Amino acid sequence: MALCYAASLQKRTPHVTDYLKIDLHTHILPERWPDLRERYGYGGWVRLEHHAPCCARMMMDETFFREVESNCWDPSTRTRECDATGVHVQVLSTVPVMFGYWAKPRDTLDLSRLLNDHIADVCRAHPRRFIGLGTVPLQAPDLAIQELERCTRDLGMAGIQIGSHVNAWNLNEPALFDVFAACAELGAAVFVHPWDMMGKDEMKQYWLPWLVGMPAETSRALCSVIFGGILERLPNLRIAFAHGGGSFPATVGRVEHGFNVRPDLCAVDNAVNPRAYLGRFYVDSLVHDPEAMRLLLRVIGADRIALGSDYPFPLGEHVPGSIVLGMDDIDEPTKRRILAGTALEFLGLESDERWASGAATATA
């Protein structure tokens, strides 16, 4: 049986410190939304089945997907749990299963607007506790840009969260380039989250899509962005990859070697060595292990690592920043950079003074 977030939190000693913490990687849903099967006329959509106080089942038609608690939709619960773990600000994004890239584009746009309006409302109600990232219908780049502009210009969001691929497209798909270009032009941050994991049908046991597939998905996205020349063509694009960049930091030597020995396969769209892009993209800190964090610091660098917990889900870091804070070989300036400074830079926000003063009230 899965251990619920609240119960697991009670089993740990919170690291409440004087460090400002901005959690880049958290997920939120509305408490309720319309019946999407009825709204759009076909199935495959997610609904919430509220079956007990403070609990709900995420259902895909009649198939159980995940149990969630009220911290997935209730800002007051989130705030209490943030206070208990010393998190001052959360960056909110939808749960990736809600991306809807598989659906009719106009329907995904409609759902994106519903989800984005909800996140924007939460951020407006708690402007110093929450920052929003929107979702867009990437399967239709023109509609995606339309919603991106609404998110940034009308809703005040810092950027968007996107999936590691879009149906049969990897992120180097030429049709997607205009979306990345629009993000760069608008100064919108792009947070890439793995979803719809490759090989999931062949590894249904042992939670392997989450344990094996997700790191591979993130590396797939990162390599596609690098080899596809997106970072080369858009040097001002601020893009981050979840889960510490997945398997990429541990395999960058293999990626570089492949580029060197088979340029006919790897350097088709970009002749620049992949290693040259270290320092050009961001990752979150969700690596679950001090040794993995040391590798991340050596390969990626502290100024490109932002605190990320995957709150409120069980595979996340339940006391955000506890690994970083528990490492004696990381100095204080580096810890402060990881716990808040990098997120602020990635999101294009002002210095941490506003957020620290706002968080001090705990109710802003």
Side-chain angles (χ1 to χ4, degrees):
M1 180 179 294
L3 184 66
C4 75
Y5 185 92
S8 67
L9 186 61
Q10 293 172 1
K11 294 177 180 291
R12 292 163 170 79
T13 301
H15 285 242
V16 180
T17 71
D18 63 348
Y19 290 95
L20 177 65
K21 289 186 188 180
I22 299 177
D23 190 346
L24 181 64
H25 182 176
T26 81
H27 300 292
I28 192 169
L29 291 170
E31 184 174 1
R32 301 182 189 279
W33 59 83
D35 183 325
L36 301 179
R37 184 185 186 101
E38 180 179 294
R39 189 179 181 99
Y40 304 133
Y42 54 97
W45 304 98
V46 177
R47 61 185 173 84
L48 276 190
E49 185 179 274
H50 290 270
H51 63 93
C54 302
C55 295
R57 299 186 187 98
M58 294 183 72
M59 304 292 294
M60 301 180 71
D61 292 330
E62 300 308 314
T63 301
F64 174 78
F65 175 70
R66 173 181 285 161
E67 182 89 11
V68 292
E69 304 169 42
S70 58
N71 56 7
C72 200
W73 61 76
D74 179 39
S76 63
T77 301
R78 297 177 79 96
T79 299
R80 287 196 302 273
E81 293 183 350
C82 284
D83 289 344
T85 56
V87 173
H88 302 95
V89 181
Q90 283 189 334
V91 181
L92 308 178
S93 55
T94 194
V95 180
V97 73
M98 303 296 289
F99 285 150
Y101 299 154
W102 56 271
K104 295 177 183 178
R106 287 285 174 184
D107 297 336
T108 304
L109 174 63
D110 180 68
L111 176 59
S112 297
R113 291 175 66 92
L114 184 155
L115 296 170
N116 294 337
D117 287 346
H118 168 254
I119 290 175
D121 287 345
V122 172
C123 294
R124 276 192 291 266
H126 309 272
R128 293 186 176 178
R129 297 306 297 258
F130 301 120
I131 299 166
L133 295 177
T135 184
V136 298
L138 273 185
Q139 74 271 41
D142 55 337
L143 297 181
I145 293 171
Q146 175 184 315
E147 182 61 10
L148 165 69
E149 292 174 344
R150 192 180 78 94
C151 285
T152 55
R153 294 174 175 170
D154 299 341
L155 302 184
M157 290 181 162
I160 56 173
Q161 175 192 226
I162 67 171
S164 49
H165 64 96
V166 183
N167 303 325
W169 294 347
N170 284 325
L171 296 186
N172 61 299
E173 172 63 34
L176 294 174
F177 182 79
D178 286 347
V179 179
F180 290 118
C183 289
E185 182 178 353
L186 292 166
V190 180
F191 184 61
V192 182
H193 195 291
W195 87 297
D196 189 29
M197 280 71 78
M198 64 178 86
K200 63 183 183 300
D201 293 334
E202 290 76 41
M203 51 180 183
K204 296 180 180 179
Q205 290 182 298
Y206 313 126
W207 215 17
L208 293 183
W210 272 256
L211 303 181
V212 176
M214 276 195 162
E217 272 293 329
T218 307
S219 185
R220 168 190 186 177
L222 222 166
C223 287
S224 296
V225 166
I226 289 174
F227 285 132
I230 294 168
L231 294 177
E232 188 65 20
R233 296 170 65 187
L234 298 172
N236 296 325
L237 178 67
R238 300 195 310 277
I239 188 168
F241 297 84
H243 307 155
S247 58
F248 182 85
T251 58
V252 63
R254 180 181 180 86
V255 172
E256 180 187 35
H257 183 69
F259 172 87
N260 289 331
V261 300
R262 292 302 305 267
D264 57 314
L265 298 177
C266 298
V268 176
D269 296 319
N270 184 14
V272 179
N273 189 311
R275 195 177 288 272
Y277 295 98
L278 297 177
R280 293 278 299 277
F281 58 85
Y282 298 82
V283 300
D284 72 17
S285 64
L286 187 56
V287 294
H288 301 285
D289 181 80
E291 286 304 318
M293 178 57 64
R294 292 183 181 98
L295 174 66
L296 212 60
L297 286 164
R298 291 195 301 271
V299 173
I300 303 297
D303 61 347
R304 291 295 180 267
I305 304 170
L307 176 65
S309 73
D310 209 1
Y311 175 100
F313 297 129
L315 196 52
E317 186 178 32
H318 293 180
V319 180
S322 56
I323 286 179
V324 169
L325 287 170
M327 294 173 64
D328 294 336
D329 51 335
I330 300 180
D331 61 26
E332 284 205 9
T334 300
K335 289 179 179 178
R336 294 186 186 281
R337 174 71 191 195
I338 294 171
L339 296 176
T342 299
L344 287 170
E345 179 182 289
F346 167 67
L347 296 167
L349 301 175
E350 65 267 31
S351 70
D352 59 7
E353 293 180 2
R354 170 197 169 189
W355 304 99
S357 62
T361 69
T363 58

